[in-house]
Amino acid sequence: MAAAQYCHLRIRHLPVIGNMHQLGRGFLHRKLQELARHHGSLFLLRLGTVPTLVVSSAAMAGEVLKHQDHVFCGRPQQYTARGHMYGCRDIGFSPYGERWRQLRRIAVVQLLSVKRVDSFRVLREEEAASLVARIRTASAPENAGAKRRAVNVSDLIVSLTYTVVSRAAFGNKLGGMEPQVFRETTKEVFDLLGTIAVSDMFPRLWWVDWLMGLDARTKRTASKLDDVLERALQEHEKSSESNDGEAGDLLDDLLSVVKEDGEGLKLDRIDIKGLIFDLFVAGIDTTSKAIEWAVAELIKNPREMAKVQEEVSQVAGTQGVLEEQLGRMSRLQAALKEAMRLHPPVPLLIPRETIQDTKLQSYDISAKTRVIINAWAIGRDSESWENAEEFLPDRFMHNTIDYNAKDFRFIPFSAGRRGCPGIAFATRLAELALANLMYHFDWELPEGQDVESFEVVESSGLSPALKFGLILVAKPPQA
Ligand code: HEM
């Protein structure tokens, strides 16, 4: 590898910690955007001892995710992912290879295909109706003459996405476990998956994770998770033997694929548990954040909200929103895309890793280089977007830019062979939820807060949510 070429890309770093002092804690996507302003859309950091390439423009993202996708398709095996996802034997964290290819094919063709997503229409409509009912109850005045109560809409949105993913994956077959226990375990795992271990940056310092108690915590949560997944799996195995006639869920699908393909697929029960839990890890927080940011931006931009509400009520008529009407709600869809342009739920996508040496823009890049793609910065790049920092859904009304990453200026779901396979699942639910929220309520900020003082700011963390949550007053819509 030509060291001189590598040097041009590299930002000067300190011994031992590399460039970590330049990143600090939280808001990593903002700090990396700042570095890109000084060092260009492609630069190399050293995070601890790990060489990390940072990509910050649409053109470079196209190089990495399209032209050289076959090289940039590995995944670094992060510590807490190894601990919880059976040594990364799921899809999302798995190294690139034959086993990943098999799991991915099952997910794309069987579990998350448009046809299978369609089959969950009733489930989505039921849960969207339940969201509306819960908001009505929570916001009702305590007594006649009292004011409407403010509702924590963020919490209810997470509840919605959690329930839809859980019912799609497991139906009601949780092996006798209370749904709340599974939900709490899931939350504990999510918290740990967002933790960066010392050994992720300094592989030789693995003992520090042990000393700091991360090892013990990870083992404890992983064992709890395995217990709940095992119980759900056993109930599914039993019910498939007894053919109880209940409508099939995604775990049932998975079991039949493995049974039918028999020897061809070398998947065991660990692969099955890893794959099914991936849907929770990848689908819940991401989808709820997409909905939450869209509502927040519409509150901040009441004129845009009025336009969306008008469209939704015109298309839906008096009967309420039906899923098949969503295709005619282009303004609603544009508002959701615009929210995801400004606030991609996974701002740095999921890190990739090069699987062999390569050349990018005449720079030599070594195998096993970690790769971060700053989708957040790309979505706000003023070279690509006019008035890039403003919420202007109109920009998605008159073009064909979609979630399929044909245009690398807009890549909330990433692209290429490791791109998100859950686009249909996520967007169908997000659009339906948003349409219902716009159709059934007029939204106001709680007393004492006006639109100017309402801050659309993010929490810290790798996948930021709205810092203060959406606390809103929901009123029946004016005729
Ligand atoms: C708005 C919601 C969502 C967003 C923004 C999103 C975004 C992403 C991103 C950025 C990646 C990384 C892709 C890469 O490395 O190139 C990813 C991977 C993945 N997503 Fe999603 N996702 C969403 C919803 C979902 C849903 C609902 C599911 C399934 C139920 C899902 C399943 C997956 C899986 C399995 C992977 C791993 C793919 C692989 O490594 O081969 N996602 N997603």
Side-chain angles (χ1 to χ4, degrees), residues 42-332:
L42 197 63
F43 59 87
L44 191 76
L45 297 175
R46 234 191 55 188
L47 299 184
T49 58
V50 181
T52 305
L53 185 71
V54 182
V55 173
S56 312
S57 71
M60 282 299 149
E63 282 299 313
V64 166
L65 296 173
K66 189 172 173 190
H67 299 124
Q68 296 218 37
D69 188 37
H70 59 290
V71 176
F72 286 84
C73 55
R75 278 270 194 252
Q77 315 287 283
Q78 278 169 263
Y79 180 87
T80 54
R82 277 200 312 273
H84 289 104
M85 309 305 278
Y86 303 97
C88 295
R89 283 175 62 181
D90 63 323
I91 310 177
F93 296 108
S94 168
Y96 184 70
E98 186 48 34
R99 214 182 39 79
W100 164 80
R101 211 173 281 120
Q102 288 192 347
L103 291 172
R104 168 108 190 170
R105 198 177 308 124
I106 295 173
V108 171
V109 177
Q110 313 274 347
L111 311 186
L112 299 170
S113 67
V114 172
K115 193 166 156 223
R116 192 59 172 119
V117 170
D118 279 346
S119 76
F120 291 122
R121 183 177 58 79
V122 174
L123 191 169
R124 277 187 298 273
E125 287 181 349
E126 279 173 12
E127 292 303 330
S130 156
L131 169 72
V132 169
R134 291 175 77 185
I135 293 173
R136 278 209 186 103
T137 311
S139 63
E142 261 165 6
N143 48 54
K147 291 206 165 119
R148 295 197 147 265
R149 288 175 294 171
V151 184
N152 188 333
V153 182
S154 298
D155 278 357
L156 294 178
I157 293 173
V158 179
S159 224
L160 166 82
T161 56
Y162 173 80
T163 313
V164 170
V165 172
S166 175
R167 281 184 63 192
F170 292 144
N172 295 320
K173 294 183 288 227
L174 287 174
M177 180 190 17
E178 284 300 315
Q180 195 51 28
V181 175
F182 187 66
R183 189 164 172 188
E184 277 157 20
T185 310
T186 305
K187 189 167 176 324
E188 276 177 53
V189 176
F190 283 9
D191 288 347
L192 275 168
L193 284 176
T195 307
I196 297 174
V198 171
S199 58
D200 290 331
M201 304 296 166
F202 303 93
R204 286 197 188 158
L205 300 188
W206 55 268
W207 51 270
V208 177
D209 293 323
W210 178 79
L211 206 67
M212 307 276 283
L214 185 63
D215 188 57
R217 247 181 97 200
T218 302
K219 283 190 176 128
R220 217 171 27 244
T221 326
S223 143
K224 238 161 105 181
L225 175 67
D226 185 56
D227 183 45
V228 294
L229 290 173
E230 189 59 40
R231 285 168 70 166
L233 178 55
Q234 282 175 15
E235 183 173 348
H236 281 75
E237 284 168 333
K238 256 192 243 146
S239 80
S240 81
E241 278 160 22
S242 63
N243 204 354
D244 60 10
E246 240 192 80
D249 51 52
L250 295 179
L251 185 47
D252 289 323
D253 291 4
L254 197 45
L255 288 172
S256 0
V257 174
V258 173
K259 204 161 150 193
E260 276 158 28
D261 267 302
E263 291 299 296
L265 280 176
K266 303 235 175 319
L267 304 183
D268 59 20
R269 56 196 306 113
I270 290 189
D271 297 311
I272 293 174
K273 288 186 277 188
L275 198 165
I276 208 76
F277 192 62
D278 247 6
L279 308 184
F280 288 78
V281 174
I284 295 172
D285 271 12
T286 46
T287 312
S288 64
K289 278 171 191 158
I291 305 168
E292 186 190 38
W293 283 113
V295 176
E297 285 291 359
L298 289 169
I299 294 279
K300 188 75 188 163
N301 297 275
R303 260 194 283 166
E304 296 299 337
M305 164 113 63
K307 288 190 223 166
V308 173
Q309 282 182 313
E310 194 186 325
E311 177 190 74
V312 174
S313 60
Q314 254 175 27
V315 174
T318 51
Q319 292 176 339
V321 182
L322 298 173
E323 203 174 275
E324 64 258 28
Q325 297 163 336
L326 293 172
R328 283 184 281 136
M329 297 184 186
S330 49
R331 193 159 277 285
L332 174 107

Side-chain angles (χ1 to χ4, degrees), residues 348-366:
L348 299 175
L349 308 182
I350 306 180
R352 302 264 189 117
E353 196 176 76
T354 47
I355 58 171
Q356 61 189 59
D357 292 350
T358 190
K359 250 186 178 6
L360 187 62
Q361 282 258 311
S362 80
Y363 294 114
D364 292 319
I365 310 288
S366 311

